């Protein structure tokens, strides 16, 4: 079946969303190294609790640690989660809400192919936005702090994107069941919020998508988290299949 | 070409039913549409025309029964059906962000039978420019684009749901006179759901009347006209008391002194019996699709009554 026209259509349809996500990522990536000096100065003036002082000072002294703490371990995955919710929730429900589903599904395309095309474009968009942000972080760090980021920052994009795919899959599933993208987004956001519960319990962190998105093993051990990425990919595959199934059962 | 495409009817449904909760949109529909025919699907709003078309395309699933389109099961082989079918839906559904060119490019990539030359000819006929954005088009222009997209795939089956709704008379004439004739000349089967009864009558060789989800009558237009004739008669006095018992007659009603008799059987036998009564006036009424639409509608609604002499 010809999937190329579907991919082109999805790319053209999502281009402004993808562009905006890339722009936000680039802005965030650039701001972190650019504000390093400002943050150091600020913390010198702000009295910190003695218990936190050594940790904060260590983080600020080492530029790589500072950048890691603020990019893969925080802003990158948080922004990806929000973007994945927006992309996923807006993938299918609006086709029904605005009536274009009749045009799309009366063509010789399977609903599974439509879901896969939307997923492929959405997740590729998230990955590219994350890459653009990391490049902006790297280049700004070189320009402002005199040192770039190590390879682990780029490797961390893989678990971050894999986790974002899970969130995208959840939003896609809700989107496949309704006509309203906003409503699908709200339900998906609630589900995504529920997913954060294991992050708060140390023994349950192995089940936390968000913990895996921060790629801790890369920073702490220099080890790529293959197993975690495979687990996230498997969950994503199930969610995408469930979305396709939900869509196949719907009248247009 | 698949072997199935030459031997089976273009559309065959058996007991096709679709319920939405308590509402039955399509009820036990048995329909057979020969290949190469132009079928007019007529009926009031809510008769089940759009649902029937969606069931044929696999866009909706039947609650009971089955549909075969071009020899393929409408649900399990829906992709094969849609590869060979052009569809212009009732409501404008083309993406607003697309230009005419985008829409053509998208569809061209999906249909192996896409005909650029036909697409170009239709665009010229309708005066649509390739760079026009769908969102900036009038309703009529969007309708024209949907028709171009449906016919340019050179489909074996063309499903048109209210195709000329929103078109001005010139465009309507262009569509029926030029495009549809071009498609029919290809040997394609065409199903038109429309309220424009005179236009359906012009192009359709078969007609199916739907009412409240039921198929009231289906067949060639000529044979339906043949079996749904009317005779207008003015009797010298009261009508014969046994008029209700005449086996050739259906519904009968009086319009002043004139009696309008629906003839279901042998017209010549009825005329002979009436002439024997030496009436003041007697004429056979040629009925058009609109007359049939209303009279079959009344019958389907239970308005029909046997002829009575009172």
């Amino acid at each position: 079946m010809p999937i190329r026209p579907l991919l082109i259509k999805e790319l053209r349809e999502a281009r402004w969303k993808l562009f905006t996500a890339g722009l936000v990522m680039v802005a965030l990536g650039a701001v972190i190294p650019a504000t390093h000096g400002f943050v150091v100065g600020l913390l010198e003036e702000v009295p910190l609790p003695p218990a936190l002082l050594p940790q904060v000072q260590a983080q600020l002294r080492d530029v790589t640690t500072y950048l890691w703490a603020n990019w893969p371990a925080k802003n990158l995955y948080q922004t990806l989660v929000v973007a994945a919710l927006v992309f996923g929730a807006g993938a299918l429900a609006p086709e029904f809400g605005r009536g274009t589903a009749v045009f799309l599904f009366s063509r010789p395309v399977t609903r599974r192919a439509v879901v896969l095309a939307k997923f492929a474009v959405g997740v590729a968009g998230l990955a590219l936005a994350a890459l653009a942000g990391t490049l902006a972080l790297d280049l700004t760090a070189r320009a402002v702090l005199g040192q770039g980021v190590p390879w682990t920052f780029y490797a961390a994009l893989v678990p971050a994107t894999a986790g974002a795919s899970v969130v995208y899959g959840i939003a896609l599933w809700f989107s496949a069941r309704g006509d309203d993208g906003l409503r699908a987004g709200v339900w998906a956001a609630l589900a995504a919020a529920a997913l954060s519960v294991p992050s708060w319990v140390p023994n349950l962190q192995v089940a936390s998508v968000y913990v895996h998105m921060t790629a801790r093993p890369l920073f702490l051990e220099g080890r790529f988290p293959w197993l975690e990425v495979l687990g996230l990919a498997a969950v994503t595959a199930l969610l995408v299949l469930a979305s396709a199934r939900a869509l196949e059962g719907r009248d247009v | 070409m698949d072997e199935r495409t030459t031997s089976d009817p273009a559309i065959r449904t058996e007991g096709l039913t679709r319920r939405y909760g308590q509402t039955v949109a399509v009820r036990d529909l048995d329909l057979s549409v020969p290949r190469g025919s132009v079928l007019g699907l007529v009926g009031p709003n809510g008769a089940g025309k759009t649902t029937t078309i969606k069931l044929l395309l696999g866009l909706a699933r039947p609650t009971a029964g089955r549909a075969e389109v071009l020899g393929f099961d409408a649900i399990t082989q829906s992709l094969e059906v849609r590869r060979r079918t052009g569809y212009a839906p009732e409501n404008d559904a083309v993406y607003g962000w697309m230009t005419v060119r985008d829409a053509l490019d998208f569809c061209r990539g999906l249909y192996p039978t896409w005909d650029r030359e036909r697409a170009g000819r239709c665009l010229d006929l309708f005066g649509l420019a390739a760079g026009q954005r769908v969102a900036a088009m009038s309703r009529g222009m969007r309708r024209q684009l949907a028709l171009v997209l449906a016919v340019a795939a050179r489909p074996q089956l063309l499903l048109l749901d209210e195709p000329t709704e929103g078109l001005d008379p010139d465009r309507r004439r262009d569509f029926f006179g030029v495009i549809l004739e071009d498609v029919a000349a290809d040997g394609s089967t065409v199903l038109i759901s429309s309220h424009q009864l005179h236009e359906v009558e012009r192009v359709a060789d078969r007609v199916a009347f739907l009412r409240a989800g039921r198929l009231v009558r289906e067949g060639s237009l000529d044979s339906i006209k043949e079996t749904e004739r009317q005779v207008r008669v003015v009797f010298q006095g009261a009508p014969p008391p046994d008029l209700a018992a005449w086996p050739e007659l259906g519904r009968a009603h009086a319009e002043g002194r004139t009696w309008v008799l629906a003839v279901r059987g042998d017209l010549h036998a009825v005329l002979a019996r009436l002439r024997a009564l030496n009436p003041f006036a007697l004429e056979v009424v040629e009925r058009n699709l609109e007359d049939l639409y209303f009279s079959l509608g009344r019958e389907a609604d239970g308005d029909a009554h046997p002829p009575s002499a009172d």
Side-chain angles (χ1 to χ4, degrees), chain B residues 32-48:
Chain B
S32 181
V33 183
R35 280 172 192 273
S37 59
V38 179
L39 174 80
L41 192 61
V42 297
N45 292 334

mmCIF file of all heavy atoms in Angstrom, chain B residues 32-48:
data_model
loop_
_atom_site.group_PDB
_atom_site.id
_atom_site.type_symbol
_atom_site.label_atom_id
_atom_site.label_comp_id
_atom_site.label_asym_id
_atom_site.label_seq_id
_atom_site.Cartn_x
_atom_site.Cartn_y
_atom_site.Cartn_z
ATOM 1 N N SER B 32 -29.364 -5.175 -5.638
ATOM 2 C CA SER B 32 -28.422 -5.699 -6.629
ATOM 3 C C SER B 32 -28.322 -4.688 -7.759
ATOM 4 O O SER B 32 -29.329 -4.338 -8.377
ATOM 5 C CB SER B 32 -28.916 -7.051 -7.153
ATOM 6 O OG SER B 32 -27.985 -7.550 -8.086
ATOM 7 N N VAL B 33 -27.113 -4.184 -7.979
ATOM 8 C CA VAL B 33 -26.901 -3.160 -9.003
ATOM 9 C C VAL B 33 -25.992 -3.740 -10.087
ATOM 10 O O VAL B 33 -24.832 -4.057 -9.815
ATOM 11 C CB VAL B 33 -26.261 -1.895 -8.379
ATOM 12 C CG1 VAL B 33 -26.105 -0.821 -9.444
ATOM 13 C CG2 VAL B 33 -27.078 -1.387 -7.216
ATOM 14 N N PRO B 34 -26.510 -3.911 -11.295
ATOM 15 C CA PRO B 34 -25.675 -4.481 -12.359
ATOM 16 C C PRO B 34 -24.504 -3.562 -12.717
ATOM 17 O O PRO B 34 -24.604 -2.345 -12.553
ATOM 18 C CB PRO B 34 -26.634 -4.595 -13.539
ATOM 19 C CG PRO B 34 -27.986 -4.329 -13.019
ATOM 20 C CD PRO B 34 -27.851 -3.568 -11.759
ATOM 21 N N ARG B 35 -23.441 -4.176 -13.198
ATOM 22 C CA ARG B 35 -22.286 -3.386 -13.633
ATOM 23 C C ARG B 35 -22.649 -2.488 -14.798
ATOM 24 O O ARG B 35 -23.442 -2.862 -15.651
ATOM 25 C CB ARG B 35 -21.163 -4.316 -14.063
ATOM 26 C CG ARG B 35 -20.418 -4.851 -12.909
ATOM 27 C CD ARG B 35 -19.459 -5.904 -13.310
ATOM 28 N NE ARG B 35 -18.987 -6.578 -12.122
ATOM 29 C CZ ARG B 35 -17.953 -6.164 -11.410
ATOM 30 N NH1 ARG B 35 -17.272 -5.105 -11.772
ATOM 31 N NH2 ARG B 35 -17.593 -6.819 -10.334
ATOM 32 N N GLY B 36 -22.075 -1.309 -14.806
ATOM 33 C CA GLY B 36 -22.271 -0.397 -15.921
ATOM 34 C C GLY B 36 -23.557 0.398 -15.842
ATOM 35 O O GLY B 36 -23.841 1.211 -16.713
ATOM 36 N N SER B 37 -24.342 0.180 -14.778
ATOM 37 C CA SER B 37 -25.606 0.925 -14.686
ATOM 38 C C SER B 37 -25.408 2.208 -13.887
ATOM 39 O O SER B 37 -24.409 2.373 -13.187
ATOM 40 C CB SER B 37 -26.680 0.054 -14.034
ATOM 41 O OG SER B 37 -26.276 -0.345 -12.764
ATOM 42 N N VAL B 38 -26.347 3.107 -14.033
ATOM 43 C CA VAL B 38 -26.354 4.336 -13.228
ATOM 44 C C VAL B 38 -27.591 4.253 -12.335
ATOM 45 O O VAL B 38 -28.714 4.277 -12.837
ATOM 46 C CB VAL B 38 -26.403 5.594 -14.116
ATOM 47 C CG1 VAL B 38 -26.440 6.854 -13.260
ATOM 48 C CG2 VAL B 38 -25.213 5.638 -15.066
ATOM 49 N N LEU B 39 -27.363 4.100 -11.048
ATOM 50 C CA LEU B 39 -28.469 3.921 -10.101
ATOM 51 C C LEU B 39 -28.721 5.217 -9.350
ATOM 52 O O LEU B 39 -27.800 5.792 -8.770
ATOM 53 C CB LEU B 39 -28.127 2.821 -9.093
ATOM 54 C CG LEU B 39 -29.153 2.644 -7.971
ATOM 55 C CD1 LEU B 39 -30.353 1.839 -8.447
ATOM 56 C CD2 LEU B 39 -28.541 1.962 -6.754
ATOM 57 N N GLY B 40 -29.949 5.663 -9.368
ATOM 58 C CA GLY B 40 -30.336 6.806 -8.554
ATOM 59 C C GLY B 40 -30.886 6.304 -7.231
ATOM 60 O O GLY B 40 -31.809 5.491 -7.213
ATOM 61 N N LEU B 41 -30.283 6.739 -6.143
ATOM 62 C CA LEU B 41 -30.752 6.333 -4.819
ATOM 63 C C LEU B 41 -31.536 7.512 -4.263
ATOM 64 O O LEU B 41 -30.947 8.557 -3.970
ATOM 65 C CB LEU B 41 -29.534 6.014 -3.945
ATOM 66 C CG LEU B 41 -29.748 5.305 -2.623
ATOM 67 C CD1 LEU B 41 -30.383 3.944 -2.832
ATOM 68 C CD2 LEU B 41 -28.413 5.142 -1.894
ATOM 69 N N VAL B 42 -32.840 7.360 -4.198
ATOM 70 C CA VAL B 42 -33.643 8.517 -3.796
ATOM 71 C C VAL B 42 -34.456 8.216 -2.543
ATOM 72 O O VAL B 42 -34.783 7.057 -2.269
ATOM 73 C CB VAL B 42 -34.574 8.995 -4.940
ATOM 74 C CG1 VAL B 42 -33.782 9.474 -6.132
ATOM 75 C CG2 VAL B 42 -35.535 7.901 -5.350
ATOM 76 N N GLY B 43 -34.737 9.258 -1.836
ATOM 77 C CA GLY B 43 -35.519 9.118 -0.606
ATOM 78 C C GLY B 43 -35.370 10.390 0.206
ATOM 79 O O GLY B 43 -34.449 11.173 -0.040
ATOM 80 N N PRO B 44 -36.268 10.621 1.147
ATOM 81 C CA PRO B 44 -36.194 11.849 1.946
ATOM 82 C C PRO B 44 -34.987 11.835 2.882
ATOM 83 O O PRO B 44 -34.310 10.805 3.014
ATOM 84 C CB PRO B 44 -37.504 11.826 2.736
ATOM 85 C CG PRO B 44 -37.877 10.389 2.807
ATOM 86 C CD PRO B 44 -37.367 9.753 1.563
ATOM 87 N N ASN B 45 -34.738 12.960 3.521
ATOM 88 C CA ASN B 45 -33.656 13.012 4.508
ATOM 89 C C ASN B 45 -33.909 11.962 5.583
ATOM 90 O O ASN B 45 -35.044 11.777 6.017
ATOM 91 C CB ASN B 45 -33.597 14.400 5.175
ATOM 92 C CG ASN B 45 -33.156 15.468 4.202
ATOM 93 O OD1 ASN B 45 -32.465 15.175 3.228
ATOM 94 N ND2 ASN B 45 -33.574 16.691 4.453
ATOM 95 N N GLY B 46 -32.855 11.275 5.981
ATOM 96 C CA GLY B 46 -33.000 10.259 7.019
ATOM 97 C C GLY B 46 -33.479 8.926 6.481
ATOM 98 O O GLY B 46 -33.801 8.017 7.253
ATOM 99 N N ALA B 47 -33.529 8.793 5.140
ATOM 100 C CA ALA B 47 -34.011 7.534 4.550
ATOM 101 C C ALA B 47 -32.965 6.435 4.633
ATOM 102 O O ALA B 47 -33.291 5.264 4.461
ATOM 103 C CB ALA B 47 -34.422 7.753 3.104
ATOM 104 N N GLY B 48 -31.713 6.814 4.851
ATOM 105 C CA GLY B 48 -30.647 5.819 4.956
ATOM 106 C C GLY B 48 -29.712 5.795 3.752
ATOM 107 O O GLY B 48 -28.919 4.878 3.599
#
